[in-house]
Amino acid sequence: MTSTPLPTIIDSAPPNQYSAPRLPRSLSSLETWGFGVTAHISWPAIAPVLHIALGTGAIFVWLPGTILGILLNLQVKRLGRHFPDVAGGTPNYTTRLLKHYPGLARYAAVGYFFSWVSTLAINVVVLTELIKVNLEPLGIACPDTLVKIGLTLIAFILAFSGTRALSILHLFFVIPAIGLLLAFCLFGIGWLAISPASPGFFPSSWSPPSFVDWAKWLFFVTYTTYACESASAFVADSRRPDETLRFLSISCWIMPPIFLGGSWVLMRLATDPGLGSDTFLNLLAVSTPFWGQSAAIIVTFFLAAGSLLSCATVLSNCPRMLYQLATDGHLSPVFAVVSRRGVFGPALVLTLLFTFICLAWGDVARIAVVSNTGWFVSIMSVHLALWLRRKRPEVFLPWWSGVFFLLEVVVLVVGGLAWGWKDFLIGLLFPLGILAADRVIRRIRWAPFHAAWWIQHYRGRSQTKISDFVGFQVVILILLICSAATISWMFRARIGAVDLGQNGNNLYVVMLLIAAFVGVAIACWTSLPQVMAIVEAREQSEHLFNIAIDGILVVDEKGVIRQANPAAEQLLKAIAPNLLGCRLNQIFPALAGQPDNWSSRSEHTLKTPEHPTIVEAAVSNRFNQDFQEYVVLVRDITERQQAEEAVRNYSHTLEQKVDERTSELAHANAEILALNERLQADNIRMSAELAVTRRLQQMLLPKQQELESLPGLEIASFMEPAEEVGGDYYDVLNYEDTVKIGIGDVTGHGLESGVLTIMVQTAVRTLLENNETDPKKFLDVLNRTIYHNVQRMSSDKNLSLSLLDYQAGTLRLTGQHEEMIVVRSGGQVERIDTVDLGFPIGLEADITNFVAQIQLQLHSGDVVVLYTDGITEAENRFKVQYGLDRLCDIVSRSCQQTVEEIKQAVIEDLRRHIGEQKIYDDITLLILKQK
């Protein structure tokens, strides 16, 4: 497995300040494909229940569920191509699509996560029941709690050893499992169609479900049909992400024969009322006609394999969801920690906690309803996000996504409530509880809740040394194998006199699968890490051998060259074009006899056609007990020898050179003194010019009495230049019954930027005095004025500029600048993007076609925030920017206060963020509030 070095964490950094490493692309496309059929092999667990409830009407639920699942698969495939470095799949694509609605994005992603966690617990319960059913006829009591805990811990032991072993184990069993399931469905369809014993391909009558029943079961069926996109969770660490995403199309083709074909066979052949909703009995009744006596053991195999493989997928998928959510800032940074072996420690611990919560609850039906509620809401959020971003190229069938969203709203309400309002409500609230717990984790100072503790833990483990590690592993392996053998002996003694029959065969299949998982778990914690370490060491040594700058030769006990790296071949190609099989003392005649007699270090001159080459050869001791091989390092030292000779030839002229340089330095020093005097005079003159320009800027800023006299508005302002003259501009002008407000940012700083802000203020005032009210003409004239002045100045300056016209509660916005923030009186935040409202001023002569205007209404208590990027891009000592989200948050929390108090809250929060860091850009802030 490819290892990823942990990032450096500064000791003085805050506990949650952690930059997550990118996942190494260590999984093959086949391994990721295996994870992509988990939902398909979970069909047998759901289909019999639905069949018993609806009879022939079940097909009317599976059909739309399958169609919606196929379309979702194709959409997720397109999103995966757009977000190739995003782990976790669908929920994390959703958070990217809903970036302007972070609360909804987090809620949807966490609901998706919990639904997968509950799948693990449900499968553990199902597998325990399968073991129990097969033990009861043998007179053996099944210790339910111990079996559930044991099965859960086996899965987590595998997960805590890394994804690679789990993915290979999963692939080994998922291929026969999905193959048998497809064979079950296709054989059943074929048998119905052509067998003389067939009851007929079509039922004699149909019983379509009522709308409530249809919505109730579609709400449940999508738990499987929507989950067929699980391969997308592994795109970020797939060696061939395109191949991984291509499997989503294959997944679509597999869905109809399993979900529709299998359900059809079940509808026609599982007709005995005595079968009830027992999954095993229903599938056995269906498969016996065409598989005969083998049916029981085959059905047992893909039921047991489906449960175990679902657990493996959950423990590979869920940590990636949490990792990506933490990396994107939606969850505590601790969940973004990954070990060198690819173990998501904190994420797995949280998954284990929720698994035990579900197991302690124990009611599979209620767990399914609760978790499916969050799942369904998360899929609804996907379709809503796709509709909101319907103009983006990564969106597939955007208008249909809107239709699906409306349909899912109806199904959620009708179907969810049909399962019981209490479980439905718990399902809606559970993601909020997880998010609240995450908030608590962020604030508690307990070390395991923070990334630094886990990083130190992983580093400590990697540095732990056991004096006889091989012996340690062998002891562990012996203990585990002896324990397994003892349990087997006790089990055999218990049932020795009992005729096992078919139950014994079924039990054998279940135990065989569990034994395989246990065996791999043992290997993961004993020999497999050493095998992986050997593979990594071999790859690293081969890599170093090939990229080494010096030549490396491996010779046998007779001095014959057996291996040569590219550097050695390049160095010696003129003497020996074919190195392999050649004796080294034929190239270096001074090496007489056998390698045992060679000097450990020697120099040799090679007569090449161009010029003599001097090389140094260093010979190692014999390093292999079975094969007497030696490593010879060959280095070209021609340039070094020439350099040494040049130094010797140059030494006798050194004093003369020193005298010459001393004279030159004295002359240069005199010139520097003269230049310093001129620079000092220029600095004095420039300081005076900058002081005058800054004074002019300050004089043109609106006065406090002007701001206090504005009708309908309260305004507070703040400006702090980063240098003596800044490039930020703002103005507030009251003309007749209209207030004109401008804010802009000139590129760069200094005299030119300051002069340009004065030009803009003057041009705005002039246009206003001339009663120019048309926004396009206003900005066009202003732009042409500035553009021609900038050209005359031979400058490359330009500025972003937004102009606002306020009149009696109506605000009209024109021009391109930073996003405008509107906080309504209740605290709701609106962000107005200005990118399509204008064009940088002074960059082009004509910007008329780019100018647009939007209008919004202000109500009493509404707050408008204008700012320059000196606020949002201000960095602390960890290079973390203040950011627009933090600005929105502080304004929203203080929106009930006066404009001066809001301004002061923002500036104080900004200064706390910046700390003692140097301010690199001008800071300008305008707070407006409707009276």
Side-chain angles (χ1 to χ4, degrees):
M1 181 183 297
T2 305
S3 61
T4 300
L6 289 171
T8 302
I9 302 297
I10 303 173
D11 292 339
S12 58
N16 276 339
Q17 190 67 37
Y18 172 64
S19 177
R22 287 183 59 180
L23 298 180
R25 294 195 176 275
S26 58
L27 299 179
S28 69
S29 54
L30 276 178
E31 290 164 10
T32 60
W33 286 14
F35 288 123
V37 293
T38 298
H40 302 77
I41 59 179
S42 67
W43 169 83
I46 295 177
V49 180
L50 179 56
H51 170 66
I52 289 298
L54 299 182
T56 56
I59 200 69
F60 295 101
V61 177
W62 282 110
L63 181 60
T66 302
I67 294 172
L68 290 173
I70 290 173
L71 293 177
L72 179 65
N73 250 38
L74 297 176
Q75 173 60 75
V76 171
K77 178 181 177 182
R78 184 172 293 191
L79 291 174
R81 295 188 187 279
H82 189 72
F83 302 116
D85 294 322
V86 172
T90 303
N92 300 104
Y93 298 155
T94 307
T95 59
R96 297 295 178 94
L97 295 174
L98 291 173
K99 62 180 180 180
H100 296 306
Y101 306 92
L104 175 60
R106 282 191 289 270
Y107 178 90
V110 169
Y112 190 104
F113 161 76
F114 178 68
S115 69
W116 274 92
V117 174
S118 67
T119 301
L120 192 154
I122 291 172
N123 278 284
V124 167
V125 174
V126 169
L127 192 56
T128 302
E129 290 299 320
L130 187 61
I131 296 172
K132 184 177 180 180
V133 166
N134 284 284
L135 284 178
E136 284 179 351
L138 307 177
I140 301 175
C142 177
D144 290 17
T145 303
L146 290 178
V147 171
K148 291 175 184 177
I149 294 175
L151 292 173
T152 303
L153 292 180
I154 289 171
F156 275 92
I157 287 171
L158 285 167
F160 273 106
S161 69
T163 306
R164 194 71 208 287
L166 197 60
S167 67
I168 295 171
L169 174 67
H170 186 281
L171 181 65
F172 183 85
F173 286 108
V174 82
I175 292 176
I178 193 68
L180 288 172
L181 184 57
L182 279 170
F184 168 86
C185 299
L186 297 177
F187 283 12
I189 290 291
W191 191 87
L192 284 174
I194 63 176
S195 175
S198 169
F201 194 81
F202 296 99
S204 58
S205 62
W206 296 90
S207 56
S210 66
F211 177 75
V212 172
D213 284 340
W214 180 83
K216 174 181 178 180
W217 286 101
L218 183 63
F219 172 83
F220 195 72
V221 158
T222 55
Y223 203 40
T224 295
T225 60
Y226 279 164
C228 295
E229 35 63 73
S230 53
S232 63
F234 305 91
V235 171
D237 46 356
S238 171
R239 296 175 193 164
R240 303 178 67 182
D242 286 341
E243 290 292 327
T244 296
L245 290 170
R246 187 172 299 142
F247 182 76
L248 295 181
S249 298
I250 300 174
S251 176
C252 292
W253 289 104
I254 301 175
M255 291 166 67
I258 293 178
F259 297 152
L260 300 180
S263 300
W264 191 276
V265 174
L266 197 66
M267 174 183 68
R268 298 299 298 126
L269 295 180
T271 55
D272 184 355
L275 298 175
S277 59
D278 187 286
T279 300
F280 177 78
L281 294 179
N282 277 270
L283 296 178
L284 182 62
V286 171
S287 56
T288 298
F290 49 85
W291 274 341
Q293 294 182 352
S294 302
I297 196 167
I298 294 176
V299 170
T300 301
F301 174 78
F302 67 67
L303 282 178
S307 296
L308 288 170
L309 296 172
S310 295
C311 295
T313 302
V314 170
L315 293 179
S316 301
N317 192 350
C318 287
R320 283 166 170 76
M321 297 181 202
L322 297 179
Y323 161 83
Q324 193 65 51
L325 288 172
T327 301
D328 293 342
H330 294 290
L331 292 180
S332 172
V334 69
F335 297 116
V337 178
V338 186
S339 77
R340 291 181 175 89
R341 291 171 58 189
V343 178
F344 303 81
L348 282 171
V349 170
L350 184 67
T351 304
L352 178 62
L353 173 64
F354 283 119
T355 301
F356 278 134
I357 290 174
C358 293
L359 289 175
W361 190 356
D363 191 329
V364 172
R366 295 191 66 189
I367 293 172
V369 174
V370 169
S371 61
N372 196 58
T373 302
W375 163 267
F376 204 80
V377 171
S378 71
I379 299 298
M380 286 170 51
S381 303
V382 175
H383 287 133
L384 174 62
L386 294 171
W387 184 81
L388 291 174
R389 295 174 66 93
R390 52 191 174 276
K391 295 182 181 180
R392 301 286 297 177
E394 66 270 19
V395 177
F396 174 68
L397 298 177
W399 290 101
W400 279 105
S401 295
V403 174
F404 297 155
F405 170 73
L406 296 177
L407 173 65
E408 287 161 349
V409 170
V410 176
V411 172
L412 174 69
V413 176
V414 176
L417 290 176
W419 286 104
W421 69 269
K422 291 183 179 179
D423 292 335
F424 180 65
L425 182 60
I426 294 172
L428 292 176
L429 295 178
F430 207 94
L432 297 177
I434 296 176
L435 291 173
D438 177 68
R439 289 286 182 184
V440 173
I441 288 174
R442 291 172 185 259
R443 290 177 175 17
I444 294 179
R445 294 186 176 276
W446 190 41
F449 283 175
H450 301 284
W453 184 86
W454 286 92
I455 294 169
Q456 190 64 34
H457 171 68
Y458 284 138
R459 286 176 176 170
R461 286 182 59 187
S462 66
Q463 294 171 357
T464 301
K465 295 182 179 179
I466 300 175
S467 57
D468 188 2
F469 191 68
V470 174
F472 175 75
Q473 290 185 83
V474 170
V475 169
I476 291 179
L477 189 58
I478 291 171
L479 289 175
L480 290 171
I481 293 175
C482 290
S483 299
T486 302
I487 294 172
S488 299
W489 182 270
M490 294 171 62
F491 183 77
R492 179 69 181 121
R494 179 72 177 83
I495 65 172
V498 180
D499 183 12
L500 298 180
Q502 187 59 54
N503 290 103
N505 294 334
N506 296 346
L507 187 62
Y508 168 74
V509 172
V510 176
M511 292 304 177
L512 182 65
L513 289 170
I514 294 175
F517 275 71
V518 172
V520 174
I522 292 172
C524 286
W525 290 92
T526 54
S527 59
L528 189 58
Q530 301 310 301
V531 174
M532 293 167 60
I534 292 171
V535 172
E536 290 176 359
R538 186 191 65 190
E539 291 175 349
Q540 291 174 1
S541 62
E542 289 177 352
H543 179 66
L544 292 173
F545 182 78
N546 289 323
I547 68 169
I549 298 175
D550 293 334
I552 304 176
L553 302 170
V554 178
V555 300
D556 62 16
E557 70 278 7
K558 297 180 179 180
V560 177
I561 299 172
R562 297 304 180 189
Q563 286 181 273
N565 73 337
E569 293 174 348
Q570 180 67 25
L571 177 61
L572 303 176
K573 65 180 181 179
I575 304 300
N578 299 314
L579 282 176
L580 301 185
C582 178
R583 287 182 177 273
L584 188 60
N585 53 18
Q586 293 175 348
I587 302 172
F588 303 143
L591 296 176
Q594 302 298 319
D596 283 340
N597 301 322
W598 292 349
S599 172
S600 61
R601 189 177 298 273
S602 57
E603 293 184 6
H604 308 271
T605 301
L606 304 177
K607 296 181 180 180
T608 60
E610 298 178 356
H611 54 76
T613 301
I614 304 173
V615 299
E616 181 181 61
V619 183
S620 73
N621 293 325
R622 186 180 64 187
F623 65 90
N624 192 304
Q625 296 299 324
D626 296 323
F627 303 98
Q628 293 186 9
E629 294 181 335
Y630 303 81
V631 174
V632 181
L633 299 180
V634 183
R635 176 179 299 173
D636 185 350
I637 61 171
T638 305
E639 292 184 359
R640 188 181 76 186
Q641 293 282 15
Q642 292 173 348
E644 291 175 354
E645 182 65 25
V647 169
R648 287 191 294 269
N649 295 334
Y650 190 75
S651 60
H652 70 280
T653 61
L654 183 58
E655 291 184 3
Q656 180 182 353
K657 295 288 185 181
V658 170
D659 292 340
E660 291 175 359
R661 294 297 180 268
T662 302
S663 176
E664 292 173 359
L665 287 173
H667 179 69
N669 187 48
E671 292 182 348
I672 291 171
L673 290 174
L675 181 60
N676 282 337
E677 293 177 358
R678 289 198 299 273
L679 287 175
Q680 187 175 4
D682 289 342
N683 284 338
I684 294 173
R685 176 180 57 79
M686 183 62 72
S687 296
E689 292 176 355
L690 291 174
V692 170
T693 306
R694 184 179 186 185
R695 179 61 179 158
L696 288 173
Q697 277 186 304
Q698 297 294 327
M699 292 171 62
L700 292 174
L701 292 177
K703 304 298 185 290
Q704 184 62 32
Q705 54 268 31
E706 294 180 58
L707 301 180
E708 293 174 352
S709 64
L710 297 176
L713 281 179
E714 298 177 22
I715 299 183
S717 62
F718 178 87
M719 174 183 275
E720 180 179 322
E723 300 180 5
E724 291 184 348
V725 175
D728 282 4
Y729 156 78
Y730 83 90
D731 204 355
V732 181
L733 301 171
N734 188 10
Y735 186 75
E736 296 182 351
D737 59 345
T738 302
V739 179
K740 192 80 167 183
I741 303 166
I743 187 165
D745 186 1
V746 182
T747 55
H749 308 281
L751 184 59
E752 287 186 4
S753 298
V755 170
L756 194 56
T757 63
I758 296 172
M759 290 181 189
V760 173
Q761 198 278 344
T762 304
V764 171
R765 169 70 79 175
T766 302
L767 288 167
L768 195 60
E769 293 292 341
N770 281 277
N771 294 317
E772 183 56 65
T773 58
D774 180 76
K776 284 195 173 184
K777 190 173 180 182
F778 196 104
L779 267 181
D780 179 53
V781 174
L782 174 62
N783 175 71
R784 282 190 281 109
T785 301
I786 300 303
Y787 176 79
H788 291 302
N789 272 356
V790 168
Q791 295 300 310
R792 172 175 286 183
M793 292 164 59
S794 297
S795 173
D796 60 351
K797 301 288 185 182
N798 61 81
L799 76 153
S800 61
L801 177 66
S802 285
L803 296 174
L804 294 84
D805 291 298
Y806 171 82
Q807 186 178 28
T810 300
L811 196 64
R812 293 185 293 276
L813 173 63
T814 311
Q816 183 187 98
H817 185 58
E818 305 293 328
E819 291 186 35
M820 184 177 76
I821 302 172
V822 179
V823 181
R824 299 300 181 181
S825 57
Q828 300 89 350
V829 177
E830 300 175 11
R831 288 161 53 172
I832 312 299
D833 197 343
T834 64
V835 69
D836 296 326
L837 301 182
F839 198 77
I841 302 298
L843 194 60
E844 295 287 340
D846 185 3
I847 64 170
T848 308
N849 294 332
F850 299 99
V851 178
Q853 184 182 71
I854 61 172
Q855 177 176 309
L856 63 153
Q857 197 69 31
L858 297 182
H859 305 287
S860 178
D862 289 350
V863 176
V864 177
V865 182
L866 304 172
Y867 57 92
T868 60
D869 60 6
I871 291 181
T872 55
E873 295 179 3
E875 295 183 345
N876 62 12
R877 62 194 178 111
F878 303 109
K879 302 300 181 183
V880 176
Q881 294 185 350
Y882 185 74
L884 184 54
D885 290 340
R886 184 165 176 175
L887 177 59
C888 292
D889 181 62
I890 193 69
V891 174
S892 175
R893 285 192 277 113
S894 56
C895 66
Q896 301 299 327
Q897 303 177 16
T898 66
V899 288
E900 283 294 332
E901 290 171 333
I902 297 173
K903 178 194 77 174
Q904 194 62 28
V906 173
I907 298 304
E908 289 176 358
D909 188 58
L910 178 64
R911 294 199 187 284
R912 281 194 298 270
H913 174 77
I914 296 173
E916 298 179 357
Q917 286 293 104
K918 180 180 178 181
I919 298 176
Y920 293 98
D921 200 0
D922 309 331
I923 295 174
T924 301
L925 177 68
L926 278 176
I927 307 291
L928 290 63
K929 189 171 187 179
Q930 177 70 30
K931 294 182 180 178

